[in-house]
Amino acid sequence: MASHKLFLLPGDGIGPEVMGEVKKVITWFNSRDIAQFETEQGLVGGAAHDAHGQAISDADMDRAQASDAVILGAVGGPKWDKVPYDKRPEAGLLRLRKDMVLYANLRPAIVYPALADASSLKRELVEGLDMLIVRELTGGVYFGQPKEITDLGNGQKRAIDTQVYDSYEIDRIARVAFEIARTRRNQVCSMEKHNVMKSGVLWKEVVTATHKAGFLDVALSHMLADAGGMQLVRNPKQFDVIVTDNLFGDILSDVAAMLTGSLGMLPSASLGAVDEKTGRRKALYEPVHGSAPDIAGKGLANPIAMIASFAMALKYSFGMGEWADKIDAAIAATLARGLRTGDIMQPGMQQVGTVEMGDAVLAELEALA
Ligand code: IPM
Ligand code: MG
């Protein structure tokens, strides 16, 4: 059996707690001889800053590059509010994305039947929701230069961020969206702001050209990103795949995540290009939620997004889609049994902590195996 190299980066806040639950799932796969995972662990974010003054060390970057998949918890927290900008915890995550060229960020938003009432929207609006945001992750205003604050000398300062996209960056993310749409309901909605931004004009032009050149079987629509945000809370079930840039994708994916009841439910995959020689692609899997410093260390965090992120690794990195489906089914079954962490707690349900939730999902997985 081929062995897969996983590089675990628990990070900060609730990261180590939710990673603990994924480690149990990994151990389970190994002990059942379903797959062979080798794990190594490193530091990212504030944890890395405390250990060696950088948000990720060069040695850990090398280990990430050499792995078959990086599994990341969360970064950041108030403890590091005052560290220099280039050493802040988030810089570690951004370096991983950029240096590994993980340009395609997949953020599914799925409403589990048992949670349809946990959403802030009415049940009928979200029941059965299954959409995917494909966010461009290595370009745009996150990385564009110049990016600076200058002193104008007259008591004023000026801040500049640069939104920049080359056509190849738009083309490659559009391809990912079209290809995935073919495996789903075959619809892509592209979101930008061509009414005020040149990058939006180019975005729309390139997406349209890519569609014409090879994906005419997929239904393509365009929406201004602000209208898209409005439609996401008005009628989210109209969407199958949304493709958008780095910043709009950041915002819209938080909105989409909340439709499902809690940020604690949503996994993500960040993928690089497929290597023509090996057929493999660099990849990082992380929950959409942050480090939740307010509940860190209390055993209260919801491990579902983290476990579901590992399921995405099985699907997108290891050709184990049927096991990914089983993990998702185990999560659905656990929720159907009435178990809830605090973030998704509802009247009449049984409130449990991180470890109990992880154990319950594993028990359901065992039952489905
Ligand atoms: C996300 C996060 C990150 C981002 C932060 C932590 C840098 O919000 O992954 O959505 O803005 O991309
Ligand atoms: Mg975000």
Side-chain angles (χ1 to χ4, degrees):
M1 198 186 308
S3 100
H4 305 302
K5 276 197 281 182
L6 300 176
F7 188 44
L8 310 182
L9 291 170
D12 309 320
I14 60 171
E17 293 164 69
V18 294
M19 186 67 78
E21 301 314 299
V22 164
K23 285 184 190 167
K24 289 188 209 160
V25 177
I26 295 169
T27 304
W28 182 85
F29 274 96
N30 284 345
S31 66
R32 297 280 306 244
D33 275 330
I34 300 163
Q36 212 46 56
F37 294 108
E38 279 169 48
T39 59
E40 279 191 68
Q41 188 161 312
L43 298 172
V44 69
H49 179 268
D50 291 350
H52 30 245
Q54 259 187 310
I56 186 161
S57 67
D58 292 349
D60 276 352
M61 268 314 303
D62 290 345
R63 293 204 281 170
Q65 294 274 17
S67 69
D68 294 314
V70 177
I71 313 287
L72 187 141
V75 295
K79 182 177 172 199
W80 302 282
D81 275 351
K82 298 223 159 60
V83 307
Y85 187 78
D86 61 327
K87 296 196 157 72
R88 74 202 190 289
E90 289 77 8
L93 181 55
L94 296 177
R95 181 172 176 201
L96 281 160
R97 291 174 179 173
K98 190 71 176 174
D99 288 8
M100 293 173 75
V101 203
L102 305 171
Y103 64 86
N105 184 213
L106 314 185
R107 300 192 157 184
I110 292 165
V111 172
Y112 291 93
L115 285 190
D117 288 319
S119 172
S120 47
L121 296 195
K122 295 190 199 88
R123 168 182 269 275
E124 58 269 28
L125 286 181
V126 297
E127 200 167 24
L129 177 75
D130 177 359
M131 57 169 292
L132 175 72
I133 295 193
V134 176
R135 169 189 177 194
E136 199 292 324
L137 202 61
T138 50
V141 74
Y142 272 61
F143 298 101
Q145 292 297 332
K147 188 180 199 61
E148 62 193 14
I149 300 178
T150 46
D151 201 324
L152 298 179
N154 58 355
Q156 292 289 306
K157 289 183 184 174
R158 175 172 295 155
I160 302 180
D161 291 286
T162 306
Q163 164 86 345
V164 48
Y165 272 109
D166 290 358
S167 36
Y168 80 91
E169 296 176 283
I170 305 169
D171 173 66
R172 68 183 178 183
I173 194 70
R175 282 172 191 281
V176 171
F178 290 132
E179 272 157 16
I180 295 188
R182 279 178 174 157
T183 69
R184 300 171 45 95
R185 296 192 302 281
N186 221 23
Q187 293 168 36
V188 171
C189 181
S190 168
M191 295 189 185
E192 33 60 26
K193 285 276 294 174
H194 68 266
N195 54 345
V196 287
M197 298 169 80
K198 287 293 182 187
S199 56
V201 173
L202 185 66
W203 185 278
K204 188 173 181 195
E205 191 182 300
V206 174
V207 171
T208 304
T210 303
H211 179 240
K212 213 165 159 196
F215 298 95
L216 279 174
D217 55 303
V218 182
L220 170 66
S221 59
H222 302 272
M223 223 178 250
L224 293 171
D226 55 342
M230 182 270 286
Q231 289 296 339
L232 268 176
V233 291
R234 195 186 77 91
N235 176 21
K237 281 192 268 185
Q238 71 187 282
F239 297 113
D240 178 21
V241 175
I242 291 174
V243 64
T244 191
D245 78 12
N246 204 343
L247 182 61
F248 293 142
D250 181 42
I251 298 166
L252 295 172
S253 64
D254 266 23
V255 176
M258 204 57 215
L259 299 174
T260 71
S262 166
L263 276 177
M265 299 298 299
L266 270 285
S268 84
S270 304
L271 308 175
V274 176
D275 182 319
E276 305 229 323
K277 278 194 221 111
T278 62
R280 300 212 323 244
R281 69 197 323 173
K282 298 235 162 87
L284 179 150
Y285 300 88
E286 59 173 321
V288 170
H289 65 68
S291 60
D294 51 321
I295 58 163
K298 297 184 180 155
L300 298 174
N302 184 351
I304 290 179
M306 185 78 249
I307 295 172
S309 298
F310 179 66
M312 287 190 90
L314 296 183
K315 178 170 173 173
Y316 289 101
S317 286
F318 304 122
M320 295 170 66
E322 67 295 2
W323 283 103
D325 292 345
K326 280 186 189 163
I327 291 181
D328 286 337
I331 292 169
T334 305
L335 295 170
R337 273 180 53 207
L339 267 57
R340 299 283 187 275
T341 41
D343 56 313
I344 49 173
M345 184 57 192
Q346 290 162 281
M349 300 293 149
Q350 184 191 343
Q351 188 160 343
V352 297
T354 311
V355 171
E356 286 160 288
M357 184 59 101
D359 286 345
V361 171
L362 199 51
E364 293 293 342
L365 182 62
E366 178 81 49
L368 287 166

